[in-house]
Amino acid sequence: MSACPCGRQDARGRPLAYAQCCGRYLNHWEAAPAPDAESLMRSRYTAFVREDERYLLATWHASHRPPSVDFEPGCKWLGLEVKRNRTTSAVEAEVEFVARMRSPGGRASRLHERSRFVREDGRWYYVDGVMLDR
């Protein structure tokens, strides 16, 4: 069993397998959209780990979607911590998280963001985020 990069655990505190966690969304986006904003955020983190540009662009809201995603060559993602998940309306939500990474030169850094999500036609999309702890 390959643990999911997002770090989600089952009720016993064991890491969920990729196939039972974010894999079902990344591998079957059309048929199995993420059910909530936190699941979408976790699956997008996993997509960054796996450098899955297709999934990232598909789950980025059209109003803010870039033409492509640039991945830092040799970047190693070290973990994800969800700090807060808040539904702000029936079609809007925010997820605050910290993602840790190491650059190819060995420099560790962290991305602390409060991301905004919207739900359209039964699917959640990432809109944008505000960097925290600068």
Side-chain angles (χ1 to χ4, degrees):
M1 171 188 93
S2 175
C4 189
C6 84
R8 186 170 271 182
Q9 299 177 345
D10 67 13
R12 292 184 168 175
R14 296 177 299 203
L16 286 177
Y18 171 74
Q20 277 71 52
C21 193
C22 295
R24 59 188 158 169
Y25 310 129
L26 272 75
N27 297 337
H28 307 286
W29 182 80
E30 288 294 330
D36 53 54
E38 181 179 343
S39 295
L40 180 61
M41 190 281 308
R42 287 179 173 279
S43 66
R44 286 178 54 83
Y45 170 84
T46 298
F48 272 104
V49 171
R50 299 172 65 89
E51 297 187 358
D52 187 338
E53 181 182 41
R54 176 198 59 81
Y55 183 78
L56 290 167
L57 292 175
T59 58
W60 217 309
H61 192 266
S63 66
H64 288 79
R65 183 183 304 132
S68 63
V69 178
D70 295 324
F71 298 102
E72 183 180 349
C75 175
K76 179 167 176 56
W77 292 92
L78 304 173
L80 174 69
E81 176 188 358
V82 174
K83 297 252 185 213
R84 194 168 92 159
N85 178 10
R86 180 170 83 107
T87 302
T88 56
S89 79
V91 295
E92 297 175 314
E94 294 179 348
V95 179
E96 180 183 344
F97 68 91
V98 174
R100 295 177 299 107
M101 67 199 87
R102 185 173 314 279
S103 298
R107 186 170 95 46
S109 60
R110 51 186 252 141
L111 170 69
H112 186 183
E113 181 177 301
R114 183 174 43 249
S115 298
R116 291 187 317 134
F117 298 85
V118 296
R119 186 175 183 164
E120 290 182 355
D121 299 324
R123 292 183 180 276
W124 284 98
Y125 294 91
Y126 170 77
V127 177
D128 60 16
V130 174
M131 299 296 288
L132 306 170
D133 294 345
R134 291 187 195 211

